[in-house]
Each structure stands twice: as structure tokens, then as C-alpha cells.
Amino acid sequence: MQGGEPAAGPLPYAETTDDGYAARVAETFTVREFGPAVLLVGDCPRCQHPISCPVVDHVYRSDAPGGSDDPGYRTVLCTCEADHPSRPEWLTGCGAYWTLRLEVES
């Protein structure tokens, strides 16, 4: 499914990705910065339902080594609340995922 309106019937849950998902997200999502986190907001590139995805820049662990060679890539999942047949009851979303490279603009 390309961008546009949500599917006429419920789109079945499927853990899937597509090369175009990240490109569509980069073009259409808004980004809000909150300290070490950003909130990505837009419509899922697969099911077209609204989602918001918090992305935290740092994960704090007591055994984490100092410094980071993190290139900024993050895997993002659809988190919509719409009904998707065959979705496990403990999950949200349509199953779509994609990888983005987040960069801070100066």
C-alpha cells in the first residue's frame, strides 16, 4: 500500500518492512525534541493509522561503558491502536517496522 487513506478493511497484522517505509516517514513525520528524546509523529507508512514513536537517545544502565560510536540508526515500529486481525493480544500496531538514521541539525 502506498501513502494515502487507511485500507478499506482491517489490514492483517504482519511483521514486515519495505525500503519505502523510512523514506515516507522521513518526508511526512513531525519531530519534537524533549531533552535526550525525540517524538516522531505521523501516519504509519503501511496501515496509514496515526502513531507517535518516542526515541530515546541514551539508555542508562549501570554496566554501560562510557562513550558511544552510535551512528544514530533506530528501528521504529508501528504502534497504532487500530484493529489488525491476527495481531497477538499483547502487541499494538500493524507489524510494520523500518530503520531511520536520526541526526541533530545545528
Side-chain angles (χ1 to χ4, degrees):
M1 167 189 301
Q2 297 299 317
E5 296 296 315
L11 189 63
Y13 179 85
E15 293 178 3
T16 186
T17 192
D18 180 275
D19 291 340
Y21 289 175
R24 282 193 295 262
V25 166
E27 292 173 2
T28 62
F29 273 41
T30 60
V31 178
R32 297 183 189 141
E33 292 186 53
F34 296 97
V38 295
L39 183 64
L40 306 174
V41 179
D43 291 339
C44 170
R46 178 173 181 251
C47 71
Q48 301 303 308
H49 293 114
I51 61 174
S52 61
C53 307
V55 179
V56 178
D57 189 36
H58 300 284
V59 176
Y60 297 97
R61 296 181 4 203
S62 61
D63 62 344
S68 173
D69 293 330
D70 182 358
Y73 290 98
R74 298 292 181 271
T75 299
V76 182
L77 309 171
C78 174
T79 58
C80 78
E81 297 293 330
D83 180 37
H84 292 285
S86 302
R87 178 178 64 206
E89 64 183 58
W90 61 89
L91 295 177
T92 60
C94 70
Y97 62 95
W98 54 94
T99 301
L100 295 175
R101 182 164 187 254
L102 300 178
E103 296 178 349
V104 176
E105 294 183 7
S106 329

